[in-house]
Amino acid sequence: MIFLKNILFLVVLLLSDMLYSQSFKADSYTASEVENMNRWQLLKYDGLNVFNGVAYSYSRPFHWEKRDLYRAGATTLLVSGLYSFDQESSDYFRDQEKDIPELLRDFGWYFGSPQNNYGVTAGVYAYGLLTKDPKWRRTGVLMISSASAGGLLQQILKTITGRARPETGFGRHEFRPFSGESGFRSFPSGHTVLGFTTAYALAKQFENPYVKAGIYTVGLISPVSRLWAGAHFLTDVVLSMVITIATVEAVDRYLDTRNGYGDKRYGTGKTGQRPQKIVFNLTATSNSIGLTLNF
């Protein structure tokens, strides 16, 4: 079944790469031209970049470098280790649900729901468009493109893998591909993909590490709430977060090649210094593996 997941993922990426083409084109507009656009022109410019950002994120595995392969290997080892404790970890989280405030549980559900999540992302983009602020427009485009890419991928994977949810009682080994039943759509977690995509993308708007950490914490409520509810196993949530981070980073780097979003986030900028970032890294050695958060 794991092999089937990997094959499906590669097929989706290949089709997207063929659509987008490996010959990446430079932005046809200069920064000054974008700055002088009216709001309708900006909307069209940003809409095109939303579409291209989705295709670009799907194409990235075909351009991985050695360190990316190491991270993929580390992810595989991490998830394989967690898979051994999927049932035990699920039982633990479900036992905690009765002690969690209802307000917190409800927030996790609503924040990760598509209709509410896209309402937030649309609001962020609308603010950037109305004010013609390139940084907030970029954040809105980043959110919409990343959520669309991750949302499409997770819907396909849910259908193909057909993994049983913990609440069904079938256990971590039960898979029923193409069953169409809601109880067999555990991998990946849609609430995790949408909720953490919004938080991770929004956090890029801020430089203060404490503000970033606070936004990340809010973004983690949806993933954890799904564990409390018995809707997903721990590996479903962890893999969904890995997909989310990789997707947002890919789209963000695509937007860095466009001229309509202010200073380059990954360039040297006006001061000649790279901007401070919080970066998630998967690390692995001969006897350890972990997820680190670098400030």
Side-chain angles (χ1 to χ4, degrees), residues 248-279:
V248 173
E249 289 295 334
V251 174
D252 202 33
R253 280 167 172 76
Y254 163 75
L255 294 178
D256 217 40
T257 67
R258 307 297 91 181
N259 296 321
Y261 301 108
D263 292 339
K264 305 298 184 184
R265 185 152 17 229
Y266 299 95
T268 56
K270 296 179 180 178
T271 63
Q273 300 294 325
R274 291 185 179 275
Q276 184 183 18
K277 304 189 296 293
I278 293 182
V279 180

Side-chain angles (χ1 to χ4, degrees), residues 112 129 228 256 260:
L129 182 63
W228 293 329
D256 217 40

